[in-house]
């Protein structure tokens, strides 16, 4: 019982996606470094899953480089209903992001404990409405946020985004090794900027070739998609018009639809999870 005059602390909410009864598949979209199009992949993959009829949500966990709301074309703020945050949505995808709570040109200068708390609130204080898929756009690298999310979401699947050049995939493998260190399963590799198709119909490997396949083979996981480099994909991201929604039958749109089908048709194997985070 609290001493007289003291207000009891509210009960701490649990992370619903970590509960054994949760049916949500949580997918952490990771990369070894920035500039490989990880957020664009996350957004378009989420839109493709929603277009296929799946209840889909995205957590923009890149608190320093938040960009998911802009890419989705969301222009409204989250709403409060009681003590819960109702996330806005676009193209059938619900989203929460630091971008709703900070100006786009504002620097977020936070250290580990504050980041940890913000991510916990994104997962516990948001009315997610039991999505089938929750995609989490991780910041590049292997820092505090990735470790916190491994603790909050021990049942997550990890998908690593890379580009074709060998140097990029060697950096990307660090994200995969981080996942293994915190007992998460790497389930696939996505190669972005795989080729450019010219007006002559030929494919040009502007950034080399083979990096995604080499990384997937090294990790023993499938290469689930190769996303071509096309101007409409970049323009769609900048203008809040994801190509998976605006041009689903385009070269890139079909790739995202195929990846969404692969994910929905290939659930992860059942595992027994320990609530303790173990780092060797």
């Amino acid at each position: 019982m609290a001493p007289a005059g003291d207000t009891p602390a509210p009960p701490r909410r649990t992370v619903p996606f970590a509960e054994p009864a949760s049916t949500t598949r949580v997918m952490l979209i990771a990369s070894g470094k920035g500039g490989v199009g990880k957020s664009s992949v996350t957004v378009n993959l989420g839109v493709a899953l929603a277009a296929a009829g799946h209840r889909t949500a995205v957590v923009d966990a890149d608190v320093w480089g938040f960009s998911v709301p802009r890419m989705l074309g969301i222009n409204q703020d989250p709403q409060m209903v009681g003590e819960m945050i109702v996330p806005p949505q676009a193209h059938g995808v619900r989203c929460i992001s630091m971008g709703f709570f900070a100006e786009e040109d504002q620097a977020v200068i936070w250290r580990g404990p504050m980041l940890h708390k913000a991510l916990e609130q994104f997962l516990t204080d948001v009315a997610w409405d039991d999505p089938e898929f929750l995609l989490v756009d991780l910041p590049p690298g292997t820092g505090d946020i990735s470790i916190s999310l491994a603790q909050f979401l021990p049942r997550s699947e990890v998908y690593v985004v890379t580009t074709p050049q060998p140097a990029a995939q060697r950096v990307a493998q660090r994200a995969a090794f981080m996942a293994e260190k915190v007992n998460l399963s790497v389930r696939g590799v996505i190669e972005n900027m795989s080729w450019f198709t010219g007006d002559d119909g030929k494919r040009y490997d502007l950034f080399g070739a083979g990096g995604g396949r080499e990384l997937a083979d090294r990790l023993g996981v499938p290469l689930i998609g190769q996303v071509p480099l096309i101007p409409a994909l970049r323009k769609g991201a900048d203008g809040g018009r994801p190509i998976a929604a605006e041009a689903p039958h385009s070269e890139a749109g079909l790739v995202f639809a195929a990846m969404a089908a692969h994910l929905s048709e290939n659930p992860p194997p059942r595992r027994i999870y320990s609530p303790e985070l173990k780092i060797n």
Side-chain angles (χ1 to χ4, degrees):
M1 180 179 296
D6 287 356
T7 302
R12 185 175 180 177
R13 295 189 179 97
T14 59
V15 176
F17 309 113
E19 295 296 316
S22 174
T23 58
T24 299
R25 286 180 63 182
V26 180
M27 300 178 173
L28 307 184
I29 312 299
S31 68
K33 65 184 184 69
V36 300
K38 171 183 52 60
S39 296
S40 178
V41 166
T42 302
V43 166
N44 281 284
L45 188 54
V47 169
L49 285 165
H54 301 289
R55 298 186 308 277
T56 307
V58 172
V59 172
D60 185 359
D62 191 350
V63 298
W64 300 288
F66 46 84
S67 57
V68 170
R70 173 173 51 81
M71 289 184 173
L72 277 171
I74 294 176
N75 53 22
Q76 70 265 34
D77 293 328
Q79 303 297 313
M80 292 296 300
V81 175
E83 296 182 350
M84 298 297 289
I85 301 169
V86 178
Q89 68 174 341
H91 308 293
V93 179
R94 293 189 172 205
C95 171
I96 200 70
S97 169
M98 185 59 66
F100 295 127
F101 308 103
E103 297 296 331
E104 191 162 351
D105 58 354
Q106 177 182 345
V108 178
I109 307 173
W110 287 358
R111 300 186 70 177
M114 295 179 70
L115 295 170
H116 189 89
K117 182 62 179 176
L119 292 171
E120 184 178 32
Q121 289 185 286
F122 281 177
L123 297 171
T124 61
D125 295 350
V126 175
W128 288 114
D129 195 26
D130 194 25
E132 294 174 67
F133 291 92
L134 179 71
L135 279 65
V136 183
D137 184 31
L138 295 179
T142 57
D144 288 350
I145 289 179
S146 299
I147 295 172
S148 290
L149 285 168
Q151 181 177 357
F152 290 138
L153 302 167
R155 303 170 62 203
S156 301
E157 308 164 40
V158 177
Y159 293 85
V160 180
V161 178
T162 187
T163 48
Q165 63 265 47
Q169 62 90 8
R170 284 194 291 270
V171 175
Q173 72 181 355
R174 298 173 192 161
F177 294 159
M178 178 279 299
E180 294 174 356
K181 284 285 188 180
V182 294
N183 203 31
L184 295 180
S185 295
V186 178
R187 294 274 295 157
V189 170
I190 300 170
E191 185 184 84
N192 195 26
M193 309 179 194
S194 296
W195 61 77
F196 172 76
T197 302
D199 293 338
D200 56 4
K202 293 182 179 179
R203 289 183 176 181
Y204 295 89
D205 299 325
L206 301 181
F207 297 103
R213 170 60 61 193
E214 183 178 343
L215 178 61
D217 290 346
R218 184 177 303 167
L219 299 175
V221 299
L223 175 64
I224 69 168
Q226 293 176 284
V227 183
L229 177 67
I230 62 174
L233 183 58
R234 191 271 305 165
K235 291 178 182 177
D238 289 342
R241 299 184 303 275
I243 199 167
E246 296 289 311
H249 299 295
S250 65
E251 187 180 20
L254 290 172
V255 171
F256 285 113
M259 286 196 288
H262 172 89
L263 294 174
S264 63
E265 294 166 4
N266 291 275
R270 293 181 61 86
R271 294 175 59 193
I272 298 175
Y273 296 91
S274 169
E276 298 179 359
L277 174 66
K278 297 176 182 174
I279 304 177
N280 297 323

